[in-house]
Amino acid sequence: MLLALALIGLVLGVVIISAFSNAEPLLRGCALGAIGWLAWWLISGYRQAHFPLWKDLLAIVALFVAGVGAGNSDGSLGVLYAALYLRTFYATPEGSVGVAFGFIVANLSALALVAGRQHAWPSLANAFTGVLGLAMAAVVIQVLRGVLERRQLAQHRETSMRRAAIELLGAGSTRAVYRAARRMATELAADAGPVQLSLTVRDGLKVQVTFSDRSTDGPVQQLEIEAGSLSMPVLEVLLGMRPPQEAFSNLPALRQALHIGPALPHLQVLPLLTGGQPSGSFSLASAGRLQRDQQELLEILADECSLALSRAALSEDLRRSEGRFRSLVQNSSDLILAIGADGQLSYVSPSGEALLGERRRESEEHEPFTPADLLHPTDLEHFSAALEETQAQRGRVRSVECRLRQHDGGWRNFELFLTNLLHDPYVGAVVVNGRDITERRALEDQLRHQALHDPLTGLANRALLRDRLEHALRTRHDGRSVLGLLSVDLDNFKAINDSYGHASGDAVLLEVTRRISECLRPADTFARLGGDEFAVLIEKVSGR
């Protein structure tokens, strides 16, 4: 707006000189050229937002030339003062006074030269009437300039605070929080000279100090100081429990702990609060003293850093917890499955991947992967019933034993525990924890076999024979079915052991077992009672 006003004034000056000047044509041409130079001076200064001193001096000379070329148009040439308004906007108050004084002197000198001695004083008197208005306009422009500069500074600081808040929101570590806060603090205290920021947080029995040199892009350093090595006043200031003014006598030790040099004499320490309790400090050392508004913005920045450090600590704990859980799951030998509400497997642990092998990936390429792809056909119905019962009640846990197929086609026995977590928003599935019990089941079967069978012949022993005999008696309902119990004894078996040894005796027992077994039915029970005594239980005999 000021540039347009100044250019309009120059255009009016061209009209005045061209239409009303009584000066020589050569002087009028020089005056028009001077006005053209003034226009270039204004436009170039506006683009660069800077007016060099040599251009200002040439502008004063150009104004004098324009005044001489205006001839007797003394009062009307004051419109060229509009150029001073734009120049005043880009100058300090002292510079504005100097340029305005130069403009007035140039214009008055031109008027005095053109009017002559007898008409000089009236012309000068008319010119002086505009000096007061010019001075007042310059003051108003300076006030406007100050207001606009403060507004631009406030907008810049607001933008910087918003950007710093966004960076602090995404900061996941103390170093990231420090970098964002350092950039913001450097911008806020730009007019206070070099600054140095330090963040101090408590870490158990140690104090962690994060700092860097006075360069904004300098490397971030972190040092840990034993709390016991610091005096109590310094420790309380570092932890935000007391202001640094109360520890003035310990200020050198405080500056040493924060690694602040003597070139930055002004120190401001603000507490960092976590849950309303001090947990550290936000320290800013500067070469110059900070203004009141800068201190208020630093207090806001310290609060943002407190929140960011709290979020970073929570994020770090969450990452550690997730990493610990992931490591435990990935290195667990137990099988972990997640079955969604649609009956499909939404998660399979790495141990399950090793169990399933390539079959799961091949199945995923064509159709969804379900528990039916894992379970033995005879166990599927039993597992499905347990799954339905688990889904019907929140938080319910059921256990079931099933056989799961391996990638090589074999079967393994698993004890499965089903937990209903469909209501959990982070899981939304029935979690199946499985333990491979194949070896345990085989050992149990082996022990059970050894407890009920003869170790030499593999026949049923006395306990198993008694159990089957009791069972046969309980299930015998009709009088036509007859049970038969045969007792078999080998004569002179002791003589074989004594004459040929126990190995030969064992061979005889095995041969007897083989021959008698060939004569029996599959449903009959052949048992060894001990030594050379045998018994045969025959069920469902139709006659005596």
Side-chain angles (χ1 to χ4, degrees), residues 1-12:
M1 182 180 65
L2 294 175
L3 176 63
L5 181 62
L7 294 179
I8 291 174
L10 295 179
V11 172
L12 292 176

Side-chain angles (χ1 to χ4, degrees), residues 80-385:
L80 294 181
Y81 281 175
L84 179 62
Y85 301 155
L86 179 67
R87 179 63 186 92
T88 303
F89 189 80
Y90 289 96
T92 61
E94 296 81 4
S96 300
V97 172
V99 176
F101 180 76
F103 269 51
I104 294 172
V105 170
N107 198 6
L108 295 181
S109 300
L111 289 175
L113 181 62
V114 171
R117 291 184 178 180
Q118 65 275 20
H119 301 95
W121 289 112
S123 299
L124 292 176
N126 293 332
F128 269 113
T129 57
V131 173
L132 182 60
L134 176 64
M136 293 183 64
V139 172
V140 171
I141 290 176
Q142 280 296 318
V143 173
L144 177 62
R145 175 174 176 266
V147 172
L148 291 178
E149 285 182 348
R150 286 193 295 271
R151 181 179 179 184
Q152 291 176 353
L153 180 60
Q155 290 178 345
H156 175 69
R157 288 177 175 175
E158 182 181 356
T159 303
S160 300
M161 288 294 293
R162 188 180 299 111
R163 185 173 63 252
I166 295 175
E167 292 182 4
L168 290 173
L169 184 62
S173 63
T174 304
R175 290 178 180 268
V177 171
Y178 179 83
R179 292 190 186 95
R182 179 179 61 179
R183 283 192 293 270
M184 183 59 195
T186 304
E187 293 181 7
L188 291 178
D191 54 350
V195 297
Q196 179 178 336
L197 177 67
S198 300
L199 290 181
T200 306
V201 295
R202 181 178 358 199
D203 186 12
L205 298 178
K206 298 181 179 180
V207 176
Q208 184 185 79
V209 181
T210 305
F211 67 98
S212 66
D213 55 18
R214 288 179 291 175
S215 172
T216 305
D217 299 327
V220 179
Q221 304 180 44
Q222 284 185 334
L223 293 179
E224 290 186 348
I225 305 176
E226 294 288 344
S229 64
L230 300 171
S231 63
M232 186 57 64
V234 173
L235 180 61
E236 291 179 350
V237 172
L238 292 178
L239 296 180
M241 298 163 53
R242 67 189 306 184
Q245 292 79 8
E246 299 182 8
F248 185 78
S249 59
N250 297 275
L251 193 57
L254 177 63
R255 297 175 67 90
Q256 181 180 3
L258 295 175
H259 296 271
I260 298 175
L264 304 175
H266 301 282
L267 176 62
Q268 184 172 0
V269 182
L270 300 172
L272 296 175
L273 303 179
T274 301
Q277 300 297 324
S279 60
S281 61
F282 177 99
S283 308
L284 184 70
S286 59
R289 189 176 299 275
L290 299 179
Q291 302 297 325
R292 178 59 184 170
D293 58 340
Q294 293 174 321
Q295 295 178 2
E296 293 176 354
L297 291 174
L298 284 178
E299 292 176 1
I300 296 175
L301 182 59
D303 293 338
E304 294 288 344
C305 287
S306 299
L307 296 176
L309 289 174
S310 299
R311 287 193 297 268
L314 292 176
S315 299
E316 182 65 24
D317 292 342
L318 181 60
R319 283 195 296 269
R320 290 180 180 177
S321 178
E322 290 179 349
R324 186 183 304 112
F325 173 77
R326 186 181 302 107
S327 179
L328 292 175
V329 171
Q330 289 180 349
N331 294 280
S332 174
S333 59
D334 290 349
L335 173 68
I336 301 177
L337 306 174
I339 305 176
D342 55 356
Q344 299 179 12
L345 292 176
S346 58
Y347 174 78
V348 178
S349 63
S351 58
E353 294 283 355
L355 175 68
L356 305 179
E358 298 294 333
R359 294 189 307 104
R360 185 191 176 201
R361 286 188 286 271
E362 293 175 358
S363 178
E364 286 180 341
E365 295 177 357
H366 300 89
E367 59 184 7
F369 198 63
T370 62
D373 299 318
L374 291 175
L375 295 169
H376 194 279
T378 58
D379 297 335
L380 180 59
E381 183 178 356
H382 182 44
F383 177 83
S384 299

Side-chain angles (χ1 to χ4, degrees), residues 403-474:
R403 285 167 291 178
L404 300 182
R405 188 197 309 270
Q406 286 185 297
H407 63 277
D408 58 0
W411 298 96
R412 305 284 293 182
N413 292 317
F414 274 81
E415 184 179 16
L416 304 179
F417 296 90
L418 287 72
T419 306
N420 186 354
L421 295 180
L422 291 171
H423 60 283
D424 193 327
Y426 300 102
V427 181
V430 173
V431 178
V432 180
N433 293 276
R435 183 183 299 112
D436 191 346
I437 59 171
T438 304
E439 286 75 14
R440 189 187 76 182
R441 182 64 64 202
L443 180 59
E444 291 176 353
D445 293 342
Q446 181 180 358
L447 293 176
R448 187 180 300 107
H449 184 275
Q450 291 177 356
L452 299 176
H453 292 79
D454 177 60
L456 175 63
T457 61
L459 299 177
N461 59 12
R462 187 185 300 271
L464 181 56
L465 177 64
R466 181 184 297 110
D467 180 76
R468 292 187 178 180
L469 179 59
E470 293 175 353
H471 179 268
L473 292 174
R474 287 194 302 268

